[in-house]
Amino acid sequence: TSIDDPSSTGHEQVVFCQDTQTGLRAIIGIYSTALGPALGGTRFYPYASEEAALADVLDLSRGMAYKNALAGLDLGGGKAVIWGDPDQLKSEPLLRAYGRFVESLNGRYYTACDVGTYVADMDVIARETRYVTGRSVEHGGAGDSSVLTAWGVFQGMRAAAEHVWGAPTLNGRRVGVAGLGKVGKHLTRHLLDDHAEVVATDVDPRAREWVRANHPQVELVDDAAALVAADIDVYAPCALGGALDDDTVPALRAKVVAGAANNQLAHPGIEKLLADRGILYAPDYVVNAGGVIQVADEIEGFNFERAKLRATRIYDTTRQILRLADDEGVPPAVAADRLAERRMAEVGRLRTIH
Ligand code: NAD
């Protein structure tokens, strides 16, 4: 696909929004509404150029369609970017101007938090539009989505462990957690509850201090490279994207990769490199869907137990994908894409029958 040829990307709709008074420049990308309204967060980021912002929103909105499809949600895929530095630009009028653009799409797109936007921002946007999730608990929202993101990653990891070692547990396994942020902390707790050994790292000294104070049995290593080279069974990237690249994959000692970070594969082809080394990769967008499941539940009126049940099913979905990958002789990332495309096509077709 190329942004020079808009028809090649497969998106349904791309909306450019501008409000000169507040400095708002936003792009809303709707990849697919085959399964329902498009849902995906708003990224507020100082892109180097409009082209960079557009490329990101096209990629991210497509990714959300696949994620939402495999999460079993009746939602399509979309995403938005606000182009600029949030520290300088973010204001009530700007967020409300953005909310009015979201409202103007009449429910074709639901927004939520992403990099650079927070629950409090969603509350402001909600003053202009109904089509916003990930709101604060005081406003009936789902609150911090990292809770079910971590729960879902743990479920996906259990399915991967079962596929490789025969039992759906991390009991006795050494799991390397790279990134002890919101998700990594919850994940560490689930792993310890399951009697796994946890080895971890984080660049932020506060996160390291948190581990020492709360879970002294967790072994800390210097950096992600040390974790990759460590004697671990499972590697869980929970920091930034691109954790799996041409340097890390050959060095990795783990047999399983399952983590929360988005876009773990640095470039296409890495999934093949992992498969060739006999490393089972549980696709990131499959196992980290707990967060979108949590915020999507809010559209029906938030019920934590219902959302948790749905996030627990990430275990079944991951299992299904790993089996399909074996049956079709393809890496799990390819099997996941096929399954998502199948659901979008088959269920999407029904939604066009009147
Ligand atoms: P966060 O910002 O709370 O945590 C990220 C942590 O990674 C921070 O503690 C940071 O210090 C650490 N880190 C950054 N670079 C590092 C490096 N090079 N080595 C080691 N540690 C490093 O973010 P989060 O909400 O926990 O999300 C983690 C990842 O999961 C992100 O990639 C995010 O996109 C993805 N994700 C999050 C959610 C969610 O609901 N929060 C949902 C889906 C996916």
Side-chain angles (χ1 to χ4, degrees):
T1 61
S2 155
I3 56 170
D4 297 330
D5 173 12
S7 64
S8 72
T9 69
H11 290 70
E12 284 180 20
Q13 191 176 10
V14 180
V15 184
F16 289 76
C17 316
Q18 173 168 267
D19 180 63
T20 45
Q21 293 227 346
T22 58
L24 172 73
R25 283 179 302 182
I27 312 173
I28 300 172
I30 296 177
Y31 180 74
S32 167
T33 57
L35 296 176
L39 167 65
T42 300
R43 183 164 294 190
F44 203 146
Y45 190 77
Y47 293 99
S49 64
E50 188 177 47
E51 286 71 30
L54 177 60
D56 208 27
V57 78
L58 292 178
D59 256 13
L60 293 166
S61 54
R62 181 174 186 276
M64 286 310 298
Y66 282 71
K67 184 186 284 200
N68 293 344
L70 285 188
L73 298 170
D74 292 334
L75 291 164
K79 197 95 180 185
V81 295
I82 299 178
W83 172 23
D85 181 351
D87 291 338
Q88 287 175 16
L89 265 187
K90 200 188 281 178
S91 66
E92 181 195 339
L94 179 139
L95 290 172
R96 292 182 76 148
Y98 172 64
R100 294 189 68 80
F101 280 109
V102 173
E103 179 69 17
S104 75
L105 291 169
N106 266 314
R108 283 178 53 75
Y109 169 66
Y110 273 87
T111 199
C113 300
D114 193 67
V115 175
T117 56
Y118 301 89
V119 166
D121 300 328
M122 297 306 122
D123 285 340
V124 177
I125 291 169
R127 291 163 78 174
E128 299 295 340
T129 182
R130 292 156 280 173
Y131 307 116
V132 48
T133 66
R135 298 192 61 195
S136 62
V137 176
E138 305 86 82
H139 285 100
D144 177 8
S145 63
S146 63
V147 174
L148 289 187
T149 300
W151 180 246
V153 170
F154 177 60
Q155 298 306 323
M157 203 185 278
R158 286 178 57 235
E162 181 178 31
H163 201 81
V164 174
W165 298 295
T169 173
L170 282 306
N171 189 345
R173 302 283 161 207
R174 269 168 77 79
V175 183
V177 179
L180 292 161
K182 295 186 289 295
V183 180
K185 283 180 180 139
H186 290 299
L187 179 63
T188 296
R189 197 163 39 78
H190 296 316
L191 289 168
L192 294 173
D193 287 348
D194 197 25
H195 307 289
E197 279 178 52
V198 178
V199 191
T201 189
D202 196 296
V203 285
D204 186 341
R206 287 166 303 181
R208 303 165 74 88
E209 202 36 59
W210 176 87
V211 172
R212 284 194 200 96
N214 292 280
H215 303 292
Q217 70 274 48
V218 170
E219 184 188 329
L220 282 168
V221 296
D222 285 346
D223 53 26
L227 202 53
V228 165
D231 180 18
I232 51 174
D233 300 303
V234 180
Y235 180 46
C238 295
L240 306 177
L244 303 169
D245 61 23
D246 295 297
D247 297 324
T248 49
V249 173
L252 195 60
R253 291 175 71 186
K255 279 270 159 262
V256 167
V257 177
N262 280 311
N263 304 330
Q264 288 170 32
L265 305 175
H267 61 78
I270 294 285
E271 71 285 353
K272 176 85 171 44
L273 204 59
L274 286 158
D276 289 347
R277 285 213 57 218
I279 299 168
L280 187 86
Y281 168 63
D284 47 13
Y285 76 82
V286 177
V287 302
N288 74 13
V292 77
I293 288 172
Q294 184 166 337
V295 298
D297 192 84
E298 195 178 312
I299 297 170
E300 296 175 58
F302 188 57
N303 178 316
F304 182 77
E305 289 308 319
R306 180 177 61 203
K308 184 173 179 186
L309 206 62
R310 187 166 256 158
T312 306
R313 289 194 207 117
I314 289 175
Y315 165 76
D316 304 281
T317 310
T318 307
R319 204 154 75 140
Q320 188 187 359
I321 286 162
L322 297 178
R323 286 183 180 170
L324 184 69
D326 282 356
D327 290 349
E328 300 196 349
V330 294
V334 174
D337 286 356
R338 286 185 185 170
L339 204 63
E341 282 159 9
R342 195 185 301 167
R343 182 162 182 253
M344 282 189 264
E346 290 176 354
V347 181
R349 184 189 66 83
L350 298 176
R351 294 186 69 247
T352 64
I353 299 173
H354 298 290

